[in-house]
């Protein structure tokens, strides 16, 4: 089971990016999938999750959108109106369990390697 995150880069404030997380080894259509991020010197924090519904951190609500393409076994994070505070390494994660707090990193069983997002002011 592997998760491969991609799509990060260096952008200016106000720009958009779309991150992708491709899953291999299993069909993740029924899994809870999430995105987390970790800025330098800070703890990893929840960004967004998707199962039957979506959930977002307050800091990204209205700007970020999580979605999934089950046919491609891929989860996306569309990030609009990026701010310098969004600068971090972004990680995708997958949970095979039912229930659990989708905003907690301990809920997740699988993690991608991370992709760097840098937003300049």
């Amino acid at each position: 089971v592997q998760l491969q995150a991609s799509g990060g880069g260096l952008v200016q404030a106000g720009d958009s990016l779309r991150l992708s997380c491709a899953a291999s080894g299993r069909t993740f259509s029924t899994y809870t999938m999430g995105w987390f991020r970790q800025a330098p010197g800070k703890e990893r924090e929840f960004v967004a999750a998707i199962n039957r519904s979506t959930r977002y951190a307050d800091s990204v609500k209205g700007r970020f959108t999580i979605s999934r393409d089950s046919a491609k076994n891929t989860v996306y994070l569309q990030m609009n109106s990026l701010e310098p505070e969004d600068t971090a390494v972004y990680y995708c994660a997958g949970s095979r369990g039912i229930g659990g707090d989708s905003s907690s990193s301990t809920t997740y069983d699988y993690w991608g390697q991370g992709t760097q997002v840098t937003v300049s002011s």
Side-chain angles (χ1 to χ4, degrees):
V1 175
Q2 289 187 330
L3 301 178
Q4 182 73 36
S6 62
L10 171 62
V11 297
Q12 293 186 331
D15 286 350
S16 299
L17 276 177
R18 189 178 78 159
L19 305 183
S20 300
C21 176
S24 61
R26 294 190 74 91
T27 300
F28 280 79
S29 60
T30 61
Y31 286 26
T32 295
M33 299 298 293
W35 286 96
F36 289 75
R37 67 187 182 186
Q38 188 166 18
K42 295 187 177 181
E43 294 186 352
R44 189 172 298 189
E45 66 174 4
F46 169 74
V47 175
I50 185 168
N51 43 34
R52 294 185 180 89
S53 60
T54 57
R55 183 178 181 181
Y56 298 94
D58 288 343
S59 59
V60 307
K61 203 172 293 183
R63 299 188 298 122
F64 291 11
T65 303
I66 188 171
S67 62
R68 73 196 307 164
D69 185 334
S70 296
K72 295 183 178 180
N73 240 14
T74 300
V75 175
Y76 303 98
L77 184 68
Q78 178 66 43
M79 305 186 296
N80 298 330
S81 302
L82 282 162
E83 303 169 352
E85 294 74 21
D86 296 317
T87 295
V89 177
Y90 284 70
Y91 299 90
C92 62
S95 171
R96 62 179 182 268
I98 297 174
D101 181 359
S102 61
S103 69
S104 172
S105 62
T106 60
T107 295
Y108 295 86
D109 307 294
Y110 309 107
W111 290 85
Q113 84 288 3
T115 184
Q116 176 71 47
V117 172
T118 303
V119 184
S120 63
S121 57

